[in-house]
Amino acid sequence: ELYIKGNDTINPTLYINGNDGTNPTIFINGEFVNNQGIVQNANGVLEPTGNFTNTVSDTAKYESTGEEKFSNTSAVTISGTLNDTTSGTLNAVSSGINQFYNLKINSRKSTITLDNNVNVFEDGTVAFTDSGKIITSNFVLFVRNDDVTAISGYSFPASNTTDGSITNYIDGNLQRAVVTGAYDYPVGDGSKMIPFKLSNLTASGAVLGNVET
């Protein structure tokens, strides 16, 4: 476990410096808790195997231009404030504040459940690198990057039919920023992937997609 404890007047800082291209990794064998601290992930990798909690204040924050890699082998939860739309600057690079930057799912057939809305920064990505599901429950995963390839690593079933054997998808509500083009929505319900694609878009905006059962 990595626990950062601050308060309304003191905000201890954790700084991950990967600006030399080495992409240093902080591997956490357990949960990550930022309780009113300042966490700055500058092109590094933050890799917990447990829950991820981000509690912020006017001065406390999680700021990232790096990667958030979930390598859990059992069910974990993302909670706290990670649905901001604020941009910052971290070492002259546009950063996401209180949101994920590059979210990587390496969950080995396990689940990640949202306990609040979660945003992925406008320059960021979501990548499935192993079998694992994001369960949104009543919340929304919002991918703010309008690139059609901003979500990767999933497999659509043949002919876009439902498939219970595919385990790397978003179980619930996925919102994507869109412009012109065709966008995949790798979504499903609790037991199977039921994906769809938005094609022939001619306007920009944000489109929410989900599966109701």
Side-chain angles (χ1 to χ4, degrees), residues 69-71 104-108 127-132 152-154 168:
K69 182 178 181 180
F70 284 81
S71 295
K104 184 168 287 187
I105 312 303
N106 190 45
S107 299
R108 305 170 194 175
F128 291 89
T129 59
D130 204 335
S131 298
S152 65
Y154 55 87
N168 49 342

Side-chain angles (χ1 to χ4, degrees), residues 40-107:
Q40 294 180 305
N41 180 4
N43 294 313
V45 180
L46 188 61
E47 184 177 0
T49 63
N51 299 330
F52 191 111
T53 303
N54 187 48
T55 302
V56 303
S57 66
D58 290 341
T59 54
K61 63 183 177 180
Y62 175 79
E63 183 175 10
S64 180
T65 59
E67 179 180 301
E68 298 82 24
K69 182 178 181 180
F70 284 81
S71 295
N72 51 301
T73 57
S74 59
V76 301
T77 300
I78 298 173
S79 59
T81 301
L82 285 159
N83 60 347
D84 206 335
T85 57
T86 303
S87 299
T89 302
L90 192 55
N91 290 340
V93 177
S94 182
S95 60
I97 296 176
N98 297 325
Q99 56 197 295
F100 289 131
Y101 196 90
N102 288 313
L103 177 60
K104 184 168 287 187
I105 312 303
N106 190 45
S107 299

